[in-house]
């Protein structure tokens, strides 16, 4: 592919590549592969392209439509099959993240038989990474981190911890972040302003709210005692009671619940959380 690129660039420097207007239906289609995914796929089929070497150029964000070294975003080659079908899959334009409308053309024999493969609007990648650590009774006891639109409890984005840590891709905005695990007191941070990549301060979830009423009391001790010594697979085993997620309900689940006695769920404003 590389030697062809130099040829094409030389041609592009001396003259614009002719791009015939559509006579009928387009013979190629270019799509962005998904939301917040900055890869594109261009594919199509034409009898004119049977078994021919195909070249694809994506170029000119916000430009005047000329192919130049600066305007070319991506260039590649492939061979069309016996039916003239070809595909350039999940390619990544070079100037990311950015915004603008790009033109994509495809042609055989170095574009001497070019067709307009359409235009695509490139959308700036806006999601940023939010990371942090959540402590539970053991790393096996994963916590869930829900990013909810401020004032709601409906998650827009959710993440789970792995070995106590999480990373979530979140669009900038203001969120109520709800950290939870069944059997634990919820921890809510309200008004979390996310503008750029953010490393959230560590949070420890308090164990023992078995009945999820936001308070640890005798109503939570009773089921743990009832389920005592039950293992995974036993009729009396309930994962919510197994606070350290070691597949047995025993003193390691009971003792921390007693330690949390009288504690309630936390709701804290982001400004206070950061003090
Ligand atoms: Ca409770
Ligand atoms: Ca346990």
């Amino acid at each position: 592919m590389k030697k062809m690129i130099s040829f094409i660039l030389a041609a592009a420097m001396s003259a614009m590549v002719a791009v015939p207007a559509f006579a009928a239906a387009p013979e190629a289609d270019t799509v962005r592969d998904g939301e917040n995914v900055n890869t594109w796929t261009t594919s199509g089929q034409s009898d004119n392209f049977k078994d021919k070497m195909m070249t694809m150029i994506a170029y000119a964000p916000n430009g005047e439509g000329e192919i130049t070294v600066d305007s070319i975003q991506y260039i590649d080659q492939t061979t069309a099959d016996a039916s003239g079908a070809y595909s350039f899959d999940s390619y990544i334009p070079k100037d990311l993240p950015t915004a603008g409308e790009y033109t994509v053309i495809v042609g055989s024999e170095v574009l001497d038989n070019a067709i307009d493969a359409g235009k695509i609007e490139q959308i700036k990648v806006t999601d940023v990474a939010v990371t942090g650590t959540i402590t539970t009774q053991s790393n096996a006891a994963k916590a869930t981190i829900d990013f909810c639109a401020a004032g709601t409890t409906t998650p827009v984005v959710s993440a789970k911890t792995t070995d106590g840590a999480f990373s979530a891709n979140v669009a900038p905005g203001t969120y109520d972040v709800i950290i939870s695990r069944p059997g634990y007191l919820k921890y809510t941070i309200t008004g979390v302003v996310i503008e750029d990549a953010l490393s959230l301060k560590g949070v420890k979830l308090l164990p023992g709210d078995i009945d999820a009423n936001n308070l640890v009391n005798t109503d939570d001790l009773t089921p743990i005692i009832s389920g005592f010594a039950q293992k995974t697979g036993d009729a009396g085993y309930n994962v919510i009671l197994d606070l350290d997620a070691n597949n047995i309900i025993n003193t390691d689940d009971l003792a921390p619940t007693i330690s949390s006695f009288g504690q309630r769920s936390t709701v804290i404003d982001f400004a206070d959380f950061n003090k």
Side-chain angles (χ1 to χ4, degrees):
M1 173 184 123
K2 300 299 177 197
K3 68 177 178 167
M4 296 310 291
I5 287 176
S6 58
F7 174 83
I8 292 162
L9 288 178
M13 291 305 94
S14 59
M16 269 184 64
V17 174
V19 181
F22 289 128
E27 293 166 300
D29 192 27
T30 296
V31 294
R32 201 164 61 105
D33 292 342
E35 280 301 310
N36 287 316
V37 176
N38 282 286
T39 57
W40 304 352
T41 290
T42 295
S43 60
Q45 186 273 330
S46 166
D47 289 347
N48 295 333
F49 299 145
K50 289 177 180 175
D51 296 317
K52 286 191 172 172
M53 179 65 77
M54 304 296 296
T55 299
M56 177 273 290
I57 300 177
Y59 69 103
N62 307 317
E64 301 303 314
E66 293 190 10
I67 300 175
T68 67
V69 169
D70 290 335
S71 73
I72 291 177
Q73 290 294 303
Y74 192 85
I75 187 165
D76 202 357
Q77 288 193 305
T78 190
T79 304
D81 68 15
S83 75
Y86 58 86
S87 186
F88 299 93
D89 296 322
S90 301
Y91 59 92
I92 304 172
K94 70 179 183 186
D95 285 346
L96 291 176
T98 187
E101 194 168 72
Y102 297 75
T103 299
V104 183
I105 57 171
V106 178
S108 66
E109 308 295 316
V110 197
L111 299 181
D112 67 350
N113 191 3
I115 59 168
D116 187 340
K119 287 189 164 75
I120 186 165
E121 185 182 352
Q122 179 65 348
I123 297 171
K124 186 178 171 72
V125 177
T126 55
D127 285 4
V128 298
V130 180
T131 57
T133 55
I134 310 297
T135 305
T136 60
Q137 289 305 107
S138 81
N139 281 345
K142 292 172 182 284
T144 297
I145 303 90
D146 289 325
F147 295 82
C148 307
T152 78
T153 55
T154 308
V156 179
V157 173
S158 289
K160 268 193 183 334
T161 52
T162 300
D163 293 333
F166 74 90
S167 179
N169 292 327
V170 184
T174 304
Y175 296 86
D176 290 351
V177 177
I178 302 173
I179 303 160
S180 65
R181 176 177 171 83
Y184 285 70
L185 288 165
K186 266 189 192 136
Y187 195 107
T188 302
I189 312 165
T190 57
V192 178
V193 179
I194 297 171
E195 295 170 326
D196 215 330
L198 175 67
S199 176
L200 209 60
K201 226 166 64 175
V203 169
K204 178 175 167 36
L205 281 189
L206 292 176
D209 185 16
I210 304 302
D211 62 358
N213 71 340
N214 300 313
L215 167 69
V216 179
N217 63 13
T218 49
D219 292 342
D220 301 303
L221 288 178
T222 309
I224 296 178
I225 292 164
S226 300
F228 217 77
Q230 297 289 310
K231 296 179 180 154
T232 309
D234 292 347
Y237 177 84
N238 179 347
V239 70
I240 296 173
L241 305 173
D242 186 8
L243 296 167
D244 60 356
N246 71 339
N247 303 316
I248 183 167
I249 300 157
N250 63 16
T251 50
D252 292 337
D253 306 303
L254 183 62
T257 300
I258 292 168
S259 297
S260 298
F261 215 77
Q263 298 281 344
R264 293 175 183 276
S265 291
T266 299
V267 179
I268 187 168
D269 186 73
F270 190 44
D272 295 327
F273 175 79
N274 279 327
K275 276 179 185 166

